[in-house]
Amino acid sequence: MARVFAQINPQEFQECFLNWMKSITKITNGEVVAIDGKTLRGSYDKTSEQSAIQMVSAWATTNKLVLGQVKVDEKSNEITAIPELLKVLELSGCIVTIDAIGCQKEIMKLITQQNADYVIALKKNQGNLYDEVEKLFSSGIATGFEGIAHSTYKTEETGHGRHEIRNYVMLMEPRLNPDSVWSKFNSVGMVESVRSLNGETTVETHYFISSLESNAKQFGNSIRSHWGIENSLHWILDVALKEDDCRIRKDNAPQNFAILRHIAVNLLGQEKRVKRGIKNKQFLAGLDNNYLARVLALA
C-alpha cells in the first residue's frame, strides 16, 4: 500500500478529486468558501531532509465539503499555492475568505474573474494599506462616520464562562490612496471583539478589504464562517483522522493521503443517518461492511 500511494501521480489524483466534487456539489449562491493552509506535521523525513509538507484547502462552510486542495511547493509559501487552487475551483456566486497572506492583487483578480466576491484580512505587515485603513476607521469613529456610507452589525455570545461582543463596521467606497489598484475593491471592514473571561476583558481589532457592498451582517457572517474552518476541517483532520500523527512521508504518499483524508471527511460528513461524529462514523465503517457500503455509495 505504501509503495502504491508513493507512486500515484498526485496531480492526477487531485484532478479525479476535483472532477468528483464538481459532479456531486451544487454551490449555493453566497456560499462562503474559506481558503487556508495546514501543515502535515508528521510528514517530515530526517533521512532525506524533507520538511513537513503543507496543503492549502478550499472549504465550503455551509455545505461542509472540501472543494479542492494543492500542495505548497517546498521552497515557496501559500502565496504561490492559493492562485493555483483558485484556478481549478468553480466559485461563481461565492464569497472567498482568506487570511492576510492572501492579500495580493493577483489573488483578488482571480477571484473576481470567476464572478465571486472576497473578504481578505489585513495585517500590519501590509504596510501603507493597513495604515490607511486604520486611519480611515479612527477618523470615522471620531466623527461618528458622518458623511461616510457605512453599515454596522453586532453579535453577543455567552458560554463556557466567556462573554464576547463583536462589533462589525463596513465602509463603502473607501477614500484610500488611488495608486492602490485592487480588483473590485468596494469596501473595508473592521471587527472589534470585546471578550470577558475570568474577570479579565480583552479587546482585539481586525481589518479587512472586500468586494462586498456595504452589508455588515453579510461581512460578519463571512468572517465567522472563515474562522470555523479550524473547527470544521482542521480539527477533524487532527483529532478524528490523526493527520498530524501520521508518519507517511515517502515520495508522493503524504500528498495523496492528504487528498484521501479529504475524501473521507466529505463522505463521512455527508452521511446523516447515523448521528455520530466523524471519528465514530469512521470506526463504525471499519466494523460494519453494510455501513461502509452506504458511506461509499454517497460518492
Side-chain angles (χ1 to χ4, degrees):
M1 289 292 289
R3 288 192 291 270
V4 169
F5 276 96
Q7 294 304 314
I8 291 175
N9 184 312
Q11 284 72 37
E12 295 289 341
F13 193 22
Q14 176 181 264
E15 186 173 345
C16 292
F17 177 92
L18 292 169
N19 290 336
W20 168 55
M21 289 309 302
K22 290 175 182 178
S23 70
I24 67 170
T25 305
K26 184 176 181 180
I27 298 298
T28 55
N29 192 47
E31 171 92 66
V32 176
V33 176
I35 295 180
D36 198 15
K38 183 181 183 299
T39 301
L40 281 63
R41 301 190 185 282
S43 61
Y44 69 90
D45 188 358
K46 289 183 178 179
T47 58
S48 63
E49 297 184 352
Q50 171 185 288
S51 57
I53 72 168
Q54 186 177 15
M55 300 290 291
V56 174
S57 305
W59 174 252
T61 59
T62 301
N63 291 311
K64 296 190 180 301
L65 289 168
V66 180
L67 300 179
Q69 64 288 109
V70 294
K71 176 177 174 287
V72 177
D73 290 339
E74 189 171 347
K75 295 183 179 180
S76 185
N77 56 32
E78 292 180 40
I79 293 177
T80 59
I82 291 173
E84 296 305 312
L85 179 57
L86 291 172
K87 290 174 184 177
V88 298
L89 297 176
E90 293 183 359
L91 298 170
S92 179
C94 296
I95 301 171
V96 179
T97 60
I98 315 175
D99 61 19
I101 198 168
C103 191
Q104 305 290 325
K105 295 173 185 176
E106 181 60 28
I107 289 175
M108 295 175 188
K109 183 178 179 181
L110 286 171
I111 294 171
T112 55
Q113 283 177 343
Q114 291 207 44
N115 194 32
D117 285 300
Y118 61 81
V119 176
I120 299 182
L122 281 173
K123 285 189 177 179
K124 291 185 177 179
N125 59 8
Q126 299 293 332
N128 294 336
L129 180 59
Y130 183 94
D131 293 339
E132 288 182 64
V133 172
E134 186 176 43
K135 289 176 182 177
L136 184 62
F137 275 102
S138 296
S139 174
I141 292 171
T143 62
F145 299 107
E146 184 178 354
I148 302 175
H150 70 285
S151 65
T152 61
Y153 176 59
K154 177 181 178 180
T155 61
E156 189 168 353
E157 296 177 355
T158 302
H160 305 288
R162 181 180 65 187
H163 180 233
E164 187 165 9
I165 299 173
R166 291 189 179 93
N167 295 303
Y168 301 91
V169 183
M170 284 191 78
L171 306 183
M172 282 294 294
E173 298 179 358
R175 293 170 290 186
L176 300 175
N177 185 347
D179 293 333
S180 300
V181 181
W182 305 84
S183 181
K184 294 187 179 179
F185 183 3
N186 292 327
S187 60
V188 292
M190 181 187 78
V191 182
E192 181 189 64
S193 175
V194 183
R195 180 181 301 177
S196 298
L197 179 65
N198 298 326
E200 294 186 5
T201 300
T202 58
V203 180
E204 293 184 353
T205 302
H206 301 279
Y207 300 106
F208 300 81
I209 62 175
S210 174
S211 63
L212 294 174
E213 302 297 330
S214 187
N215 185 332
K217 183 175 182 179
Q218 186 183 39
F219 165 67
N221 290 337
S222 299
I223 298 301
R224 293 298 303 276
S225 297
H226 180 81
W227 292 337
I229 191 175
E230 292 294 334
N231 296 328
S232 300
L233 178 61
H234 294 170
W235 188 87
I236 287 173
L237 289 171
D238 285 338
V239 176
L241 302 184
K242 305 294 184 183
E243 183 169 76
D244 275 355
D245 296 333
C246 181
R247 291 295 289 133
I248 294 172
R249 56 195 184 278
K250 297 294 184 181
D251 301 319
N252 297 327
Q255 184 176 351
N256 286 328
F257 261 84
I259 298 173
L260 198 62
R261 291 187 199 97
H262 287 167
I263 294 173
V265 168
N266 285 354
L267 289 176
L268 293 171
Q270 296 305 299
E271 203 293 297
K272 305 295 185 182
R273 293 176 63 182
V274 174
K275 305 300 182 183
R276 299 184 183 180
I278 295 290
K279 186 175 182 179
N280 287 329
K281 287 181 180 179
Q282 184 186 23
F283 182 68
L284 181 59
L287 295 178
D288 186 341
N289 285 339
N290 291 329
Y291 180 71
L292 174 61
R294 194 164 75 199
V295 172
L296 294 177
L298 295 171

